[in-house]
Amino acid sequence: MTAYEKNETQDDNERRGPVVAEHTLEARDVRLGYGDREIVPGLSVTVPPGRITVIVGPNACGKSTLLRAMARLLAPSAGAVLLNGRSIQEMPTKEVAAVLGILPQSPTAPEGITVSDLVGRGRYPHQGFFRRWSAEDDEAVAQALLSTDVLELADRPVDELSGGQRQRVWIAMALAQRTDILLLDEPTTFLDASHQLDVLDLLTDLNRERGVTMVAVLHDLNLACRYADHMIAMKDGRILAEGRPADIVTEELVGEVFGMRCSVIEDPASATPMVVPLGRHHVKGPAA
Amino acid sequence: MSGSALLAEEKPGGGGKEARTRRSRPVLALGLLAALAVLLLAVVASLAIGSGDVPFSDVLPGVLDPDLTVKGQLVIQEVRIPRTVAGLLAGAALGLAGTVMQGVARNPLADPQLLGINAGASVAVVCSITLLGFTVATQFIWFGFLGALLAALLVYGVGSLGREGATPVKLALAGAATSAVLTSVTSAILLQDRGSYDQFRFWQLGALTARSSEVLWQVSPFILVGAVLALALGPQLNALSLGDDLARGLGQRVGAARMVSALAVVLLCGAATVVAGPIGFVGLAVPHAARLITGPDYRWVLPYSMVLAPVMLLVADIIGRVIAPPGEVQVGVITAAVGCVPFIWLVRRRKLVEL
């Protein structure tokens, strides 16, 4: 299959936003696991600042585990995650929270909380015991509501919203935290196709306009190819390939990572790689 | 981004949101004042109503400038004031403890009674009195804290077994089992000792009448410290209610917040049990009632619970005084009877299973 060509170099510069992110995030030789079960047996990765990085891989490949470690939710048994060169586990957690925000997979909102109150909770790291709610907090919340397009829902209880609206509200909460780095664990799970696009467009807007460094775990390979500046493909706790989707996504890689036959063609909309899976049925003619 | 740009033109500055938060804070503050007024009424009623024959005209002098030769004023001074203060202390402690427990465990069923904390305090105090022979509150109050602490550790330990850690369901099951065992131990000890059974019966059910004013004085500093800790936990509980991961992501030291919460709960539950025995349902029902008024913001749920819980306890106690003349029904019985209604309502509500 040679249909796909690397014709993206010029376009690629255009899609990268202004790089204002000054913070660096990397994992150095981290070993990760839960109890005795080791999931990531030593791995190093550097997150490109100001870019959208997408981690893909089959279930249980360690991609969420890696994301949790980078968010300091999981302490590595060896190695370290470095934020601006300092071990994230040794930094005061509020200091980390001023730089790095996270959105876990399917978070649950307290019952009856309104949208604006939930988004307001993103201001927690900016409040101390003696420093209470301020005009700056109000402004951050209003802007987060505005840029995620949920301002008109501000007074509605989160329980009553649709899945797509709710996910935008959670992203608004993460935005209200005003961090330069945002880690998202499957932000499009449980959303229908159009809302998946909405969320990824929103993340791209934030990346381009504010230079927020994003790291997201995604399940949909084709959306990952389309939206990622930098892609990390993982299997069995190891990184098999990383780089621009156009550079790394091949039939061989998809076969190796997902154990799935496919052909890779050019996405007619975005000119990024598009993975067409080939199962045992519904494939015309002899398999490619 | 075109959608939000369009929206920005429609609603400049996000004024709607600001207007809402500015309105709701004074409303909640006024509501708290109203709750305090209701509490004041409950206190007056608790001083004025009871089996003893006390004319209403004796209530105020009996509190402010008692003439102990007047029988009514003597009753006020010797019986009803300690009883009312006991209701205030135990109520505030149980309301706050229940709120903190529900917040930390993210479990709407968390309650000092259901999780076995009160039963732990109760069995420890009863043991210290009947087996070790302590008679002075300054001695056995420490057993109250110790029992609350051990029960909390036991329940949390058992509830944390297994891979997912302390899930709400496992905590509730471990708590219910612990509570049942400890309550039956208390009963067994008390039944051994028929002579003191009547005197100590309230360790099983809870009553406001059993403690002298010295005990109340000795317990109140602990309740004060526990209350200050609990009231300061509002922002922490708000962050925790989003889940451990998000709380950590927002920069909370989750372990530290849990420790402070546990300390507050042990202080409050231990002290409340020393004052009034193991009283159930107050710590469960009141935070939910408070949440109906305030919404899920713990910075408001906590003070509301602290004010509303003594209202419930005092009203229950007053009902107990008049419901079965000439005798009285212990307050623990009334709170359980009254409290089961919101409990059932709560269980029937949606979402409980997911929590």
Side-chain angles (χ1 to χ4, degrees), chain B residues 155-176:
Chain B
V155 170
Y156 197 81
V158 172
S160 306
L161 293 176
R163 189 174 166 272
E164 328 74 335
T167 64
V169 172
K170 285 198 288 180
L171 273 183
L173 288 174

Side-chain angles (χ1 to χ4, degrees), chain B residues 265-354:
Chain B
V265 164
V266 165
L267 279 175
L268 291 168
C269 293
T273 305
V274 168
V275 168
I279 291 181
F281 281 108
V282 174
L284 175 72
V286 168
H288 287 284
R291 227 174 263 126
L292 282 181
I293 304 170
T294 62
D297 188 339
Y298 278 99
R299 289 169 302 179
W300 288 104
V301 180
L302 286 163
Y304 267 87
S305 296
M306 187 177 77
V307 175
L308 292 178
V311 173
M312 177 178 171
L313 204 52
L314 287 175
V315 169
D317 190 43
I318 295 166
I319 293 172
R321 293 177 212 173
V322 298
I323 201 171
E328 292 197 350
V329 180
Q330 287 179 317
V331 69
V333 180
I334 306 284
T335 55
V338 173
C340 68
V341 177
F343 185 75
I344 290 167
W345 173 75
L346 190 67
V347 170
R348 285 181 56 93
R349 276 184 75 193
R350 67 214 157 90
K351 280 182 111 178
L352 206 62
V353 183
E354 315 167 17

Side-chain angles (χ1 to χ4, degrees), chain A residues 34 37 68 72-73 93-94 97 100-104 107-114 116-118 121-122 124-125 129 132-133 138 141-142 145-147 149-152 154-155 159 170 173 177 205 209, chain B residues 1-5 7-8 11 13-14 16-18 20-22 25 106 163 232 235-239 241-253 291 295-299 349-351 354-355:
Chain A
Y34 301 96
R37 208 160 54 90
R68 286 175 62 80
R72 64 151 162 12
L73 301 179
T93 182
K94 267 206 169 174
L100 183 149
I102 58 165
L103 186 56
T108 47
E111 211 181 314
I113 194 168
T114 61
S116 62
D117 284 348
L118 183 65
R121 296 212 175 159
Y124 181 87
F129 199 78
R132 296 290 176 179
W133 197 261
D138 263 334
V141 169
L145 292 170
L146 201 63
S147 51
D149 209 358
V150 290
L151 188 60
E152 75 260 42
D155 285 342
D159 320 338
W170 282 110
M173 196 205 80
Q177 197 177 338
D205 287 337
E209 283 165 22
Chain B
M1 215 58 190
S2 61
S4 38
L7 196 82
K11 290 188 179 180
K17 190 251 152 200
E18 283 173 41
R20 199 194 61 81
T21 42
R22 288 214 182 110
R25 260 184 224 185
R106 268 196 300 284
R163 189 174 166 272
Q236 277 72 22
L237 294 181
N238 276 348
S241 68
L242 302 172
D244 282 11
D245 283 357
L246 263 179
R248 283 207 183 92
L250 288 171
Q252 170 167 81
R253 290 159 63 208
R291 227 174 263 126
D297 188 339
Y298 278 99
R299 289 169 302 179
R349 276 184 75 193
R350 67 214 157 90
K351 280 182 111 178
E354 315 167 17
L355 284 160

Side-chain angles (χ1 to χ4, degrees), chain B residues 217-238:
Chain B
W217 276 116
Q218 280 149 3
V219 167
S220 45
F222 296 99
I223 292 186
L224 186 72
V225 172
V228 169
L229 282 179
L231 287 171
L233 278 169
Q236 277 72 22
L237 294 181
N238 276 348

